[in-house]
Amino acid sequence: MTEPVAEQYGDGRAAAHGVGMRLNQYPADSGPSMGSCGGQEDLASSPSEKKAAARAIEEYIEPDTRKSGDWADDDTNAAVKAFAAKNGHGWVTSGALKKAHKTWGEQVQNLMNRLASEKEALRSTNIVLQNTDLGVGAGVRKSSSLDGY
């Protein structure tokens, strides 16, 4: 139910605040339905989808990432040598390239570690949830007041 703010206050404060009415209830919730978790529509949630996602990481994403990470090694090392000091003269670029290449290698390694972690998480999710359910079920069943009868 709505009621005009001017009638509520009667002293012109509604005009000062630029408000013409007040709602006594919240609008209908436009969020996800009760059966939805509100996540992504294409989230892999079945065991077969999780296995397929882990397999894709292992067979395609990890090897391609490793290949892409190694791709610049030879060219960067050649550039570092080309700009290196010769006869006491060299470019500052050589040291900067070497430092940037080291950072690149660390970032590639961090990405590879993250991919491995995600792959293992996808493979172990069902086991963790199943073991938790079994543990809770066993704990609940241990104590029952009806067991004495």
Side-chain angles (χ1 to χ4, degrees), residues 30-137:
S30 62
S33 65
M34 293 298 287
S36 172
C37 294
Q40 298 173 340
E41 293 289 327
D42 59 348
L43 183 65
S45 60
S46 71
S48 62
E49 289 174 321
K50 290 177 185 176
K51 286 179 185 176
R55 192 174 331 111
I57 290 173
E58 184 172 35
E59 294 176 3
Y60 301 105
I61 299 172
E62 283 180 327
D64 290 347
T65 302
R66 187 174 294 110
K67 241 186 276 183
S68 296
D70 293 342
W71 180 72
D73 284 348
D74 294 335
D75 292 336
T76 304
N77 287 333
V80 167
K81 287 179 186 175
F83 288 118
K86 296 176 183 104
N87 300 328
H89 301 290
W91 293 78
V92 177
T93 306
S94 177
L97 276 173
K98 191 173 186 176
K99 187 175 180 180
H101 187 250
K102 180 179 182 259
T103 302
W104 169 262
E106 291 169 354
Q107 291 174 341
V108 169
Q109 187 58 47
N110 288 340
L111 180 56
M112 294 301 297
N113 292 341
R114 177 70 186 263
L115 287 169
S117 172
E118 295 295 332
K119 177 179 64 177
E120 293 307 314
L122 283 166
R123 288 184 172 155
S124 67
T125 300
N126 288 333
I127 295 168
V128 169
L129 293 175
Q130 183 179 21
N131 288 343
T132 301
D133 287 346
L134 292 174
V136 169

